Amino acid sequence: MLRIIFKPTERCNSNCKYCDVVKKNVVKDMPPELLGTVFSRVGEYLRTHPGEDISFLWHGGEPLILGPDYFRQARDLENKYFPAEKARVHHAVQSNLTLLTPEFLEVFRELRIRGIGTSYEPLPGIRGFGAARDWQAYNRDLSRAISLMKASGFTYGFIYVVTREALPHAEELFYALTNFYGGGRLTINPVLIYGEDPHRLAVTPEEYAEFLGKVFALWWKNPDRYPGVNPFAHYFNTIIKRRPTLACSDSGDCARSFLYVGPGGETSQCGRSADWGIVSYGNLKDRTIDEVLRDPKRADFEKRNSVLASGECRGCRLWGLCHGGCPLDPFPEHGNIFHKTSLCAATKTFVEKYFEPITGHKYNA
Amino acid sequence: MPNILLTQRCVRSCPYCFAKKHMEGSVQDECLKWEDLIYLADLQEIGGYREMRFLGGEPTLHPHFPDFVAYSLKRNFRVVTFTSGIMSDKILAGIREIYLKIPEARIFGSFLCNINDPKISPAAETERLHLFLTEFGKHVSPGFNIYENDFDLGFFADFINRYGLVRTLRLGVAHPIYKKDNSYIAARDLAVVLRRIASFYPVFSRLNISVGLDCGFPLCGLSDSELGVMHKFSKGSLKFRCEPILDIGPDMTVWPCFPLSSVKVRKVYDFNSIREMGEYYHKFHGEVSAEAGGIFPECDECFDRARGLCSGGCKAHILNQLDKEHLKFRKLNISHDPK
Amino acid sequence: MTRNNWTIVDSPLAWRIQGEPAKRAIRVTSLADLREAAGLEDPEIGGILADLPWLRLPDLEAASFPAKPSLTLYLGGAGELLAYSDKLAALKRPGVSVFLPPTRQGITDLRILSSLGVRCGILFGREVPDWDFLTDLLCYAAYTKTPHAWIEPFAYVHANYKGPSSQLDWRDAYFRDAGRGPTAPEDAFGGGLTACTSCPGWRVCGGALSAYLSPEGAPCREFASALLETAEYVHAKNNI
């Protein structure tokens, strides 16, 4: 399935310390004509690839800052460019939810969206409104939105970004996050800092693994009580159930299945590669989606697996769990993608020091 | 059905007391808690047992005794209290209050009263007992514990008639308490005791008073005609058994019976049901019997024991004998009271 | 409507969840008012809440038990069983419930009442609970196989917990001052990492025990965690 990460705006109403959206674009919001171009390209692709579905993730910035009318335009554009195929387009939204209103939910229903991804930070001062980062107002608005979603039959999943400030609070955070997530989806990720780290938020791979390990011990006591908590559920499925369900960063499979579209129509591998300016595949104004997917630069992503498997990752028994990690991870240090992730130590430490001893199950590829 | 010891406190100091030996070294003030009573009631109800048997010490000394009885009755249990009958006016009033509200049919046989020979009892105790029996006599089954060979049962004829007691006299014999030092009837004297009991038959039969034998008597040592007399004396319910009774202490420990009160002591919570408890201790009895048939060497080859007519006497006697033999003792893997 | 020292309170939300009409109740604070309210005929009033913390069950009279749909008694204790045993039949009538404070004696009384078939509940807020005893009572309510009457708020939690997506506030099982609805969760999570939001039992407590938090810590945490475990047990048992 083709996964389109669609960033119609770089604008955001929040001020998060670790935000890596590099606000460099001249075009802040995708204008309506270009939105139409994007949807016409999607229609072309659907007709050229009958039987294939598309995941269309609305991202940002903060996509809701565009207002519900923008999404109504998208609804109308579907009906204009691919009315017969629109059931094969699976819209999703990643939003901070602080701007959510019933009007948004109404148009989301029309776009067949039933769940929204978000993120939550209970620790003070890391994200919030304005220069002062009013985190309490932020979290109240987020909670209000969650209540609205629940009352309207929408589901939600959220991401928690582990920063240095989180490290001493592993147990409290685990319970606060699982109390908040309502049994939906919770994904724990390490903070990714590209370039300067003025707020000293970065965590080492070992620190991240220790944090995960403490939290995993709590999760493992009651996995049924806390379904859908990742990466634990991924590891559980892959190592114990032997039904691999790996995140995109560990799947080794993103070369031809991801496409980023920015507010000016520019394309890249994914959101991070675009934000960090790592690779460009041209603009949808000039190219079709197929042409973007066939860009020669994508071959590097395909080649990476074999380069690592015969090189840095040769003989690693955990290869099947991470495939060298996200291709973009080594870029800040090495300037290219042909190295394993900087989080390798985190995976090794977590699996060997925590997951395997705690569960009694050893990973066997 | 297990016996439930409400408290270790007592008003008497009987020389034969099993419980006293058990209570030595324990917390005398320990009383069964409400939570534990409810737990035991639940356990019994699940097991289909509908009788609560309260023992002690002196169970009426438990601070919540009237409430415990009222509670058990409200849960439709039959309540049997093993009492000395020696109680204060306040406790007597409490019992009176409970039983005034209960239909007669539910009260019959509610008390099992172990009465000591008045000739050797203090006057104050006899006076208190008189008050109790005057009021509740018709609901009282009398009992007597034999701890000397030359005992006298004659006073029961007077007591039963005077107070209208239930006309069946329960007779127990003082057995050794394993690993403790107590007064008891030696195995060789049990037949003497039985014959002496039988000697009261002519008087008691005229008064329509029968006897019930407690556990641990051996069948042998009596002739067939003597057995016939005892059979009639007991109105056909003569049994020569030794089986686990299940005694539960106020601290929720359980043991098979008082003579074996230091053996295989467990917590009630170790078991999922009364039945499981019983099976556990029956298994232990079986292990003892497998080592030695009974209290006499002849028990191993005894035809009556093989046919199930006799259990071979009290297991505490047997364990004492086995103890002396050391070698056989090790096989049984007996665990003592952890305290 | 007020008369004497009566106040009107909202019936527990739990009653409405169970399909009962959203009626109100009269709250009385004296035996005399209870007697008078017991004789009242008003279709808008669903029951009586008798808030009598100085009384015990033996102090009540038969006339205090109205024919009305419900009578909820908030008492200081049950008293001796023998003294109130003649009232048990009336106490076991549908709609009658007895709430006692979570002291050691109160908890013992609640177990007695529940085991005798009297609906009852814990009166939080007035005394500091004996948390260990309370957890013991919770285990009794959840795991005992013999029939026994419900004990609030356990019964509410056990009946309404539906799995990881549940978020309960067991104050819904209690009366509230008129017009005062349940607390919104956004207020709690707006405050970030707190003793409540980081409590393992949050999803069945919802902050209902927050009054017991102190600078020294959260004495209610173990109990709330146990409450969640029993809720999961009951839910699993009912969904096999």
Side-chain angles (χ1 to χ4, degrees):
Chain A
M1 178 160 70
L2 172 63
R3 290 177 173 82
I4 296 177
I5 296 143
F6 180 59
K7 183 161 83 175
T9 180
E10 276 187 351
R11 288 188 297 139
C12 186
N13 64 328
S14 177
N15 180 15
C16 305
K17 278 183 178 174
Y18 54 74
C19 183
D20 61 358
V21 173
V22 178
K23 297 176 177 59
K24 59 186 188 306
N25 249 314
V26 174
V27 177
K28 295 295 179 196
D29 297 347
M30 177 176 284
E33 319 81 58
L34 185 51
L35 184 65
T37 303
V38 169
F39 273 66
S40 82
R41 294 294 194 205
V42 169
E44 274 172 4
Y45 184 87
L46 288 167
R47 284 183 288 278
T48 313
H49 299 271
E52 186 170 335
D53 286 20
I54 293 177
S55 161
F56 196 95
L57 174 62
W58 294 73
H59 216 290
E62 172 46 52
L64 301 196
I65 210 168
L66 295 165
D69 276 345
Y70 198 90
F71 290 89
R72 290 191 189 106
Q73 284 183 60
R75 172 204 61 197
D76 294 341
L77 289 168
E78 277 198 329
N79 290 330
K80 179 178 177 183
Y81 287 111
F82 46 87
E85 295 89 1
K86 68 180 180 182
R88 287 159 52 203
V89 175
H90 306 280
H91 291 275
V93 178
Q94 187 73 22
S95 161
N96 65 36
L97 291 180
T98 58
L99 297 172
L100 188 75
T101 62
E103 289 74 28
F104 276 106
L105 295 180
E106 193 182 319
V107 64
F108 286 163
R109 276 197 200 91
E110 293 178 80
L111 286 170
R112 305 169 302 284
I113 297 170
R114 300 306 308 194
I116 302 176
T118 186
S119 57
Y120 172 53
E121 176 58 76
L123 294 174
I126 296 181
R127 51 197 325 215
F129 298 133
R133 287 196 186 89
D134 187 349
W135 60 278
Q136 285 173 302
Y138 182 102
N139 281 344
R140 266 200 302 276
D141 284 354
L142 171 57
S143 298
R144 174 197 52 79
I146 297 287
S147 297
L148 173 62
M149 285 174 59
K150 279 185 184 173
S152 309
F154 277 72
T155 62
Y156 62 101
F158 72 98
I159 295 167
Y160 181 72
V161 177
V162 178
T163 65
R164 175 158 298 281
E165 296 191 30
L167 297 180
H169 304 287
E171 181 173 334
E172 300 158 90
L173 280 168
F174 172 73
Y175 288 127
L177 296 172
T178 51
N179 284 336
F180 188 74
Y181 91 134
R185 290 178 318 283
L186 164 61
T187 301
I188 302 171
N189 287 335
V191 66
L192 299 169
I193 305 291
Y194 185 65
E196 301 293 315
D197 182 14
H199 302 290
R200 295 171 54 78
L201 295 176
V203 295
T204 66
E206 288 76 19
E207 286 171 334
Y208 178 60
E210 299 282 340
F211 179 92
L212 274 190
K214 284 180 195 164
V215 168
F216 179 72
L218 297 172
W219 181 85
W220 182 248
K221 284 183 193 170
N222 283 294
D224 291 340
R225 184 185 290 179
Y226 308 114
V229 176
N230 285 309
F232 308 140
H234 284 323
Y235 283 121
F236 180 83
N237 289 337
T238 305
I239 298 176
I240 297 176
K241 294 278 196 190
R242 296 183 178 269
R243 287 201 303 263
T245 59
L246 298 173
C248 66
S249 54
D250 299 323
S251 67
D253 190 29
C254 64
R256 303 280 177 191
S257 54
F258 281 77
L259 165 64
Y260 164 87
V261 180
E266 69 278 15
T267 62
S268 181
Q269 180 65 26
C270 64
R272 252 173 93 193
S273 69
D275 290 338
W276 293 0
I278 290 171
V279 64
S280 169
Y281 300 136
N283 198 300
L284 282 186
K285 289 185 218 171
D286 316 307
R287 307 184 90 182
T288 66
I289 289 178
D290 267 324
E291 286 168 340
V292 170
L293 291 176
R294 286 198 297 267
D295 192 299
K297 291 193 277 300
R298 285 187 181 267
D300 283 350
F301 288 88
E302 280 180 321
K303 208 163 68 176
R304 179 174 183 265
N305 276 357
S306 55
V307 168
L308 290 180
S310 59
E312 278 180 17
C313 299
R314 184 189 172 101
C316 176
R317 72 177 184 96
L318 301 185
W319 168 257
L321 284 181
C322 78
H323 301 94
C326 176
L328 306 179
D329 284 345
F331 206 90
E333 187 184 346
H334 299 282
N336 63 70
I337 65 171
F338 294 109
H339 293 273
K340 65 181 179 182
T341 174
S342 49
L343 291 172
C344 171
T347 303
K348 274 207 170 84
T349 304
F350 172 70
V351 171
E352 292 176 348
K353 187 175 170 185
Y354 293 100
F355 188 94
E356 287 175 341
I358 289 173
T359 64
H361 290 270
K362 214 164 168 62
Y363 176 61
N364 185 352
Chain B
M1 272 163 301
N3 296 327
I4 302 168
L5 276 69
L6 298 189
T7 178
Q8 312 275 34
R9 300 175 194 167
C10 198
V11 292
R12 297 192 298 199
S13 189
C14 306
Y16 57 78
C17 180
F18 296 137
K20 181 178 168 187
K21 288 296 174 184
H22 174 79
M23 290 186 303
E24 275 171 7
S26 71
V27 178
Q28 290 270 324
D29 275 344
E30 185 142 28
C31 292
L32 189 75
K33 300 189 197 66
W34 261 112
E35 286 74 21
D36 292 330
L37 175 76
I38 295 172
Y39 184 88
L40 291 170
D42 287 344
L43 206 60
Q44 299 234 73
E45 186 170 318
I46 291 170
Y49 304 100
R50 300 308 315 184
E51 187 172 282
M52 298 284 269
R53 297 156 63 93
F54 293 148
L55 262 74
E58 171 52 52
T60 61
L61 286 179
H62 190 290
H64 300 305
F65 174 75
D67 284 340
F68 276 17
V69 174
Y71 175 83
S72 305
L73 291 170
K74 283 294 177 187
R75 284 191 63 170
N76 294 317
F77 286 99
R78 181 173 135 75
V79 178
V80 177
T81 303
F82 289 67
T83 176
S84 63
I86 299 164
M87 55 190 74
S88 65
D89 288 336
K90 184 179 171 200
I91 293 173
L92 199 56
I95 296 175
R96 183 183 305 128
E97 194 180 338
I98 305 165
Y99 285 104
L100 269 177
K101 301 173 184 174
I102 310 296
E104 285 270 335
R106 287 193 76 190
I107 313 176
F108 181 75
S110 291
F111 299 98
L112 263 150
C113 191
N114 253 8
I115 303 173
N116 289 340
D117 192 331
K119 291 195 289 295
I120 58 168
S121 298
E125 286 185 8
T126 306
E127 174 58 29
R128 300 306 318 175
L129 177 62
H130 165 76
L131 291 172
F132 172 72
L133 293 179
T134 300
E135 189 150 0
F136 292 99
K138 61 182 173 180
H139 305 305
V140 172
S141 295
F144 185 78
N145 271 338
I146 301 165
Y147 62 98
E148 292 170 326
N149 289 0
D150 59 344
F151 58 90
D152 179 28
L153 299 178
F155 69 93
F156 276 105
D158 168 46
F159 267 60
I160 288 172
N161 281 339
R162 193 188 335 163
Y163 298 111
L165 310 184
V166 173
R167 304 187 87 77
T168 299
L169 176 61
R170 181 184 146 276
L171 294 174
V173 68
H175 294 297
I177 302 175
Y178 180 61
K179 289 293 187 189
K180 300 270 185 185
D181 184 25
N182 67 307
S183 303
Y184 62 91
I185 301 290
R188 63 180 178 277
D189 291 333
L190 288 169
V192 171
V193 164
L194 276 171
R195 285 196 192 92
R196 189 166 171 86
I197 292 172
S199 72
F200 289 93
Y201 173 67
V203 172
F204 279 19
S205 68
R206 280 199 298 276
L207 297 171
N208 192 26
I209 297 171
S210 61
V211 298
L213 289 187
D214 211 352
C215 54
F217 285 97
L219 181 147
C220 59
L222 293 179
S223 66
D224 285 349
S225 66
E226 285 165 336
L227 279 170
V229 167
M230 286 303 304
H231 174 76
K232 288 202 282 186
F233 202 176
S234 69
K235 285 192 177 170
S237 62
L238 190 65
K239 288 187 172 40
F240 296 91
R241 312 298 318 211
C242 174
E243 290 170 334
I245 306 294
L246 302 186
D247 289 324
I248 297 174
D251 59 353
M252 293 295 268
T253 51
V254 58
W255 57 90
C257 60
F258 267 117
L260 297 178
S261 56
S262 63
V263 174
K264 296 281 189 188
V265 179
R266 299 280 298 270
K267 280 287 195 186
V268 170
Y269 310 115
D270 293 343
F271 301 97
N272 291 317
S273 63
I274 305 272
R275 183 190 170 119
E276 192 178 296
M277 224 182 274
E279 285 170 356
Y280 175 77
Y281 288 111
H282 267 104
K283 182 165 176 272
F284 169 68
H285 269 233
E287 288 163 2
V288 175
S289 298
E291 288 303 314
I295 59 179
F296 304 122
E298 308 81 75
C299 293
D300 286 337
E301 306 298 329
C302 175
F303 186 53
D304 289 329
R305 191 183 73 84
R307 284 192 300 164
L309 291 178
C310 175
S311 294
C314 175
K315 296 290 186 296
H317 275 291
I318 298 173
L319 283 180
N320 275 341
Q321 290 160 7
L322 290 174
D323 222 10
K324 292 171 189 164
E325 295 175 35
H326 293 306
L327 289 172
K328 284 183 186 177
F329 169 84
R330 253 183 259 127
K331 280 189 199 176
L332 290 174
N333 192 29
I334 291 169
S335 64
H336 296 296
D337 186 339
K339 64 180 194 270
Chain C
M1 170 192 71
T2 56
R3 190 143 94 199
N4 304 331
N5 293 317
W6 301 1
T7 52
I8 300 299
V9 292
D10 284 340
S11 301
L13 179 64
W15 293 7
R16 280 166 264 167
I17 291 171
Q18 286 156 19
E20 293 194 27
K23 287 192 177 169
R24 294 179 143 178
I26 301 171
R27 177 174 170 268
V28 297
T29 54
S30 73
L31 268 182
D33 282 347
L34 175 56
R35 264 184 239 112
E36 190 172 347
L40 197 67
E41 292 292 332
D42 185 334
E44 292 305 307
I45 297 297
I48 301 171
L49 167 58
D51 195 350
L52 309 163
W54 60 90
L55 284 189
R56 306 284 183 272
L57 285 172
D59 303 323
L60 297 173
E61 318 137 345
S64 310
F65 290 79
K68 234 180 245 316
S70 80
L71 169 64
T72 304
L73 295 162
Y74 283 5
L75 305 178
E80 291 185 352
L81 174 59
L82 197 54
Y84 68 78
S85 61
D86 55 346
K87 297 184 176 57
L88 278 172
L91 288 169
K92 285 161 72 167
R93 275 180 16 214
V96 179
S97 52
V98 178
F99 283 66
L100 303 176
T103 57
R104 196 168 271 226
Q105 185 58 55
I107 292 167
T108 299
D109 288 340
L110 286 169
R111 193 190 293 234
I112 295 168
L113 289 170
S114 173
S115 68
L116 289 173
V118 177
R119 294 166 204 82
C120 52
I122 299 160
L123 204 45
F124 286 105
R126 297 179 186 185
E127 312 251 6
V128 176
D130 185 318
W131 294 107
D132 287 340
F133 245 56
L134 198 55
T135 305
D136 221 32
L137 181 69
L138 166 65
C139 292
Y140 169 78
Y143 303 129
T144 295
K145 293 188 176 75
T146 44
H148 54 282
W150 49 248
I151 304 173
E152 293 293 16
F154 309 146
Y156 173 75
V157 170
H158 293 160
N160 290 285
Y161 184 76
K162 304 295 181 204
S165 61
S166 292
Q167 179 57 62
L168 303 177
D169 181 347
W170 51 251
R171 285 169 288 195
D172 292 342
Y174 291 76
F175 292 90
R176 292 182 196 268
D177 292 336
R180 188 169 166 179
T183 312
E186 41 264 32
D187 291 334
F189 285 101
L193 209 62
T194 65
C196 279
T197 59
S198 65
C199 174
W202 164 264
R203 61 176 77 165
V204 291
C205 169
L209 292 168
S210 57
Y212 295 108
L213 298 174
S214 73
E216 283 77 48
C220 45
R221 185 183 172 95
E222 298 283 331
F223 167 71
S225 194
L227 183 57
L228 176 58
E229 279 182 30
T230 58
E232 288 172 336
Y233 167 80
V234 171
H235 177 67
K237 192 174 70 148
N238 293 338
N239 287 278
I240 290 173

